[in-house]
């Protein structure tokens, strides 16, 4: 196999693994946050607005972590800056 | 084996593993969220509407994480941008 | 072994592993959801309808994750798009 | 060893492992569901019918996950579509 | 070693491992179910009949998972359909 | 080493490992069941007969799992059907 | 090294490992059972006889699992049926 | 493969893994913090302002850890100082 | 290295590992049993005799598991029956 | 690959891994500290000042640990003293 | 390296590992026993004598497990019976 | 690669790993200590001075452990006494 | 490398690992014992003398386990009896 | 690489790992002890002196374990007795 083949194969493998591993943490965190929001709702139904606001801000923060992984994965898949060095050589 | 064979084999293997690993996190998170929603329902049956709304938003957010993995897996399987470099060379 | 043999063997191995690993998460999640539904039933028997509705929606969402793995496994086993590149070369 | 031998050996090994690993998740989930049903029975003996109905639906859903693994295992053992490519070549 | 030897050795090894791993899950699940049944008995001795009925159905469902592993193990040991391809070649 | 030697060595190794691993699950399950029976006895001494009956049925079910492993181990050690293919070749 | 040497070395190694691993499960189970018996004694000193009887039956059942491992270990060490095939060849 | 190829491949692989692993910790921490904030809200709705302030400061601190990983990943991907030594040689 | 050397080295290594691993389980079990005995003593000082009797029987049963490992270790170190086959050949 | 290439590749790989692993501990610790601060706020809103002061000092101490890792990573990436020995030779 | 060198190196390595691993279990067990003794003392100061007696017997039993490891380690280091076979050959 | 190169690469790798692993323990410990301090503050606000004093002494003790790792890492990176033997030879 | 070099390197490596692993168990045990002593002090300040006596005896017993590891490490480093066989040969 | 180089590299690597692993246990133990001291302070502020005395003795005992690792690390780095055998040969 030549260099480009190895590079393409390695990038594909690692992108799939990274996204597979990288959603585990955010998924657990979301599960925990939603679970607590539901418990809070059951205990204080009249505080629904502030609970929902806090939950949405929290989910957005956690989602941002998953987006970091997705962005890195898409950069590697579609527009890897290190690929130019390979194409040049 | 030539380059395309290795690439096809490697992509197939990693796609299967990624989807296999990547649903573990969202599954746990969903289990936790649904479990809390049921507990909340049992404690405050009259708050059913706000509980269901929160649960559905939460499940959608968690499902989005599993969709990220699925999308990456389908991109690799059907339309991998790195495959063009291989076909060219 | 020639290319097709390696590809067939690798695909078979990884499909079996992926489905074996991929049902663990949904199974745990289902166990947790059903367990909570039963506890909720024991605490609030009169809320049976909303509990059952929430449980069924939840089980369907979790089942969808297992279906993702099954679909990817069946695509790899029966109609892998990457196989065409191999058959051509 | 020729191609068919490797393929047969690999398939046998991976089928046994997949079924061995794949029943762990459903087993835990069933244990949890049955355990909760028994606790619910002890707390609300008069709700036996709705508890049993929920339990049976839940066990069927979890059993379906184990069946997925079993089906994939039997497909690989008895009627693997990828085997034809090997027999042709 | 010739093909048949490798196949026999590999099958033997994997059968023993699969049954060794495959009883762990059902064993834990049974332990949990029996444990809950005993606790339920201690709390509601008069509900013995419905508790025992639920326990027996549950143990049968869990046992079925262990039987899946045993059946696959015995198929591989005594009547492996993939062995014919080896004996033919 | 010739084929029979490898086969004998591999079988011996895997039998010892399988029985070593395979008793862990049943042992934990038994410990849990007995522990619950003792707690139930301490809480409801007058329900001793139904507790003992449930415990014995449960221990027998768990023991059956360990027996599966033992049976497979003894089949491999004393009367392995795959050994005939080796002796013939 | 000739065949017998490998066989003797492999058997020795695996016997030691199997007994080392195989007592972990029964030990934990015994610890749990004895611990529960002591708690039960502290809560219901007058139920000592039925507690002791249950404990002894339970310890005997768990000990039987450790004996399985010991028996397999001693069979391999002193009278391995597969050794005859080696000595013949 | 020449030096630049190895370097590009290795950097790509490690960047994807680092971001995949590196968001796990912050995700769990965020999940925990948000969960506690929601519980605190449910217990003391009138302390919402100080709770939100503490939560935001905390999330910012945790986000900073994920940013460290992202920064190192982007440095390696876009502007690795060690790359110059390679290009020179 | 000749056969005897390998055999002596392998036996020494595995004996040390087996005893190192094999005391972990009994140690945990003993810690748990003694811990429960002390708690029971603190709750029911007047039941000291039956507590002590149960504890001693339990410790003896657990010690027997550690003795199994020690006996196998000493057999391998001092009087390994498989060594004769080596010395003969 | 020559020496400088190996050194650059190895350094890059290890820097990414170190920062990826090194933020896990501080992240968990921060999550725990913030979580406790929020619980303390909910229980004693009037002690807000001393709670916030303690939290900030604690977060600074934990952040210092992450900074240690970042500093070592940046030293290795930008100004590794061991690199001079390589450049000299 | 000749046989004696390998044997000496292997023995040294394994002795250090065995003692390093082998004290973990007894250490945990002792920590648990002492912890329970202190709790028991705080709850029933007047039962000090029977608590101390039970604790000392327990610590002696746990210490005996660590002594087993130490004895095997010292036998291997100072007076290994398998060494004679090596010195003879 | 010559000796100095290997030494520089190995030292760099191990320094990064050691600092990455070595801050995990202190980070967890700090998180726990701060968490307890905040809980103590919420329960006994008037004991703030003695709580803060104990917390600071504790954090200093834990920080000392992280400093040990940092010092060893800096010694290896900047002034390794074993490097002289290499430079001499 | 000659025999003495391998032996010295192997001994150094294993000594460092053994002491690194071997202090984990005693450290946890000490942490647990001290933690319980502090709780006991807070619950029964007037039983300080018997608590302190029990704690010191316990810490000494646990310390003895760490000393075992240290002694074996120092024997291997300074006065290894197996080294003589090497120096002789 | 010659002997001294390997020895220096191996020693450096293992020293860094040992200190990195070896502070984990003491760190956890310290965190636990300090945490308990703070809880004890919050429950019994008037017992501050005996709590602080016990805590300091405990921290010193745990610190001694970390010092053992540090001492072994510094001996290996600065004054390894096994180095003389290497320099002689």
């Amino acid at each position: 196999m030549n260099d480009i083949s190895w590079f393409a194969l390695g990038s594909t493998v690692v992108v799939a693994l990274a996204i597979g591993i990288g959603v585990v943490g955010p998924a657990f965190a979301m599960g925990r946050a939603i679970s607590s929001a539901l418990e809070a709702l059951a205990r204080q139904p009249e505080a629904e607005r502030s609970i929902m606001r806090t939950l949405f801000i929290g989910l957005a923060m956690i989602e941002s972590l998953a987006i970091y992984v997705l962005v890195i994965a898409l950069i590697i898949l579609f527009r890897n800056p290190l690929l130019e060095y390979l194409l040049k050589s």
Side-chain angles (χ1 to χ4, degrees), chain A:
Chain A
M1 292 177 68
N2 63 347
D3 289 20
I4 291 284
S5 308
W6 273 111
F7 189 83
L9 178 54
S11 301
T12 304
V13 167
V14 90
V15 157
L17 288 184
I19 197 76
I21 298 170
V23 302
V24 171
F28 273 96
M30 281 192 186
R32 187 166 196 174
I34 297 162
S35 164
S36 295
L38 288 163
E39 278 171 34
L41 269 179
R43 263 199 296 177
Q44 289 273 13
E46 67 273 18
E48 195 195 332
R49 288 189 57 186
S50 62
I51 287 170
M52 294 306 278
R53 201 169 47 218
T54 312
L55 178 63
F56 288 159
I57 294 169
L59 289 182
M61 289 296 282
I62 298 170
E63 188 81 26
S64 77
L65 294 175
I67 298 291
Y68 291 172
V69 184
L70 194 67
V71 164
I72 293 284
L74 294 177
I75 288 177
I76 291 174
L77 219 53
F78 286 96
R79 200 168 285 265
N80 191 339
L82 293 165
L83 190 59
E84 298 177 24
Y85 296 102
L86 244 85
L87 294 178
K88 270 192 245 161
S89 71

